[in-house]
Amino acid sequence: MADGKFITFEGPEGAGKSTQLKLCAEYLRSRNMEVITTREPGGTPLAEQLRGILKTHSGDEKLHPETELLLMEAARSQHMRELILPALERGCTVLCDRFYDSTTAYQGAARNIDRKLIDDLNLFASGFRKPDLTFILDLDVESGFRRAGKRAETAGEYDRFEAETRSFHLRVREAFLAIAAAESCRVKVVNAEGTPEEVFERIAEYLNELWG
Ligand code: TMP
């Protein structure tokens, strides 16, 4: 059986990745495809424990950028080998909410860690399996902040990344756009303005191209 397709959803905070991932899963399932949805950091019990540390660690002991990078990659390594690669081998389509382009944007561009090191770790952790298609849901930082801010108020939870400065998030957005420019076959920028249905129409065009 042919390997399944691996599709990732990226973008700044509040761009609506999770909603689009859900709509995408419904769409593909309605075409009788076997689909699993997952997320990073996380996706397995062990990787979800690392997610908890990465998202909400606070207190006197600082979580250093280098440690953050290695924990992200550790979570990814576990997630790939435990869940994603076996699912792809079974012929499942895997939809993942964030993947290694987030490491390039957040730990690379925004935290300023060496790009070559990040590229090497991304490939090592992912077992050299690249996504077949990546959507970058693009939204200006202010709109993303407003949406993410509302979400945080509702959830009532401290989030280390959402608490970062505007200039941090500007660097994240610029980095995503640069990745898309450098890898235009794999990475598609999708305007995240509009209703979820309007945004999904933009995504569906690329899905139809992928499956012909
Ligand atoms: P989210 O799933 O709610 O988007 O939260 C995940 C957070 O983790 C988000 O702020 C981006 C961040 N992140 C990184 O910094 N590096 C990574 O490699 C990944 C996967 C996520």
Side-chain angles (χ1 to χ4, degrees):
M1 180 190 288
D3 271 11
K5 300 280 188 215
F6 181 28
I7 303 178
T8 59
F9 293 74
E10 302 275 11
E13 318 294 318
K17 290 173 290 93
S18 314
T19 307
Q20 291 306 319
L21 187 143
K22 224 175 107 214
L23 291 173
C24 183
E26 283 167 12
Y27 179 74
L28 296 176
R29 284 179 185 134
S30 75
R31 300 168 104 202
N32 292 325
M33 297 176 68
E34 208 185 317
V35 176
I36 65 162
T37 62
T38 185
R39 68 177 180 182
E40 288 216 338
T44 77
L46 201 156
E48 287 288 329
Q49 285 187 34
L50 296 175
R51 178 187 177 89
I53 298 172
L54 282 160
K55 294 257 298 178
T56 63
H57 172 79
S58 62
D60 290 343
E61 185 179 353
K62 180 181 169 191
L63 177 50
H64 295 274
E66 295 79 1
T67 313
E68 181 182 278
L69 168 65
L70 293 171
L71 289 178
M72 286 289 177
E73 299 291 8
R76 175 162 306 129
S77 169
Q78 185 66 16
H79 188 205
M80 281 309 280
R81 287 158 180 84
E82 185 69 17
L83 185 77
I84 296 181
L85 291 173
L88 293 172
E89 275 162 26
R90 289 196 310 273
C92 271
T93 292
V94 177
L95 307 181
C96 191
D97 188 339
R98 293 197 185 278
F99 193 59
Y100 64 34
D101 297 310
S102 279
T103 316
T104 307
Y106 283 80
Q107 282 66 51
R111 300 258 195 247
N112 212 13
I113 299 180
D114 180 68
R115 175 67 190 263
K116 170 80 173 64
L117 175 67
I118 301 238
D119 287 347
D120 287 347
L121 285 174
N122 281 345
L123 289 175
F124 177 68
S126 59
F128 295 85
R129 178 62 161 93
K130 295 184 175 183
D132 297 298
L133 182 62
T134 295
F135 294 111
I136 295 195
L137 288 153
D138 185 48
L139 191 67
D140 69 84
V141 169
E142 275 68 30
S143 312
F145 260 34
R146 272 197 300 279
R147 289 198 205 168
K150 268 194 210 141
R151 208 175 52 199
E153 275 169 29
T154 327
E157 226 184 39
Y158 167 74
D159 182 307
R160 288 178 59 247
F161 295 98
E162 286 177 11
E164 280 293 345
T165 58
R166 183 173 173 277
S167 74
F168 178 96
H169 289 286
L170 280 173
R171 292 199 294 282
V172 168
R173 184 187 185 200
E174 289 309 311
F176 278 132
L177 296 178
I179 294 168
E183 287 187 71
S184 57
C185 278
R186 171 178 72 90
V187 184
K188 311 295 178 194
V189 178
V190 173
N191 176 1
E193 296 280 356
T195 64
E197 291 71 25
E198 284 164 350
V199 177
F200 183 67
E201 268 180 38
R202 298 169 196 146
I203 287 184
E205 282 183 29
Y206 291 115
L207 295 177
N208 295 337
E209 270 175 32
L210 184 65
W211 274 281

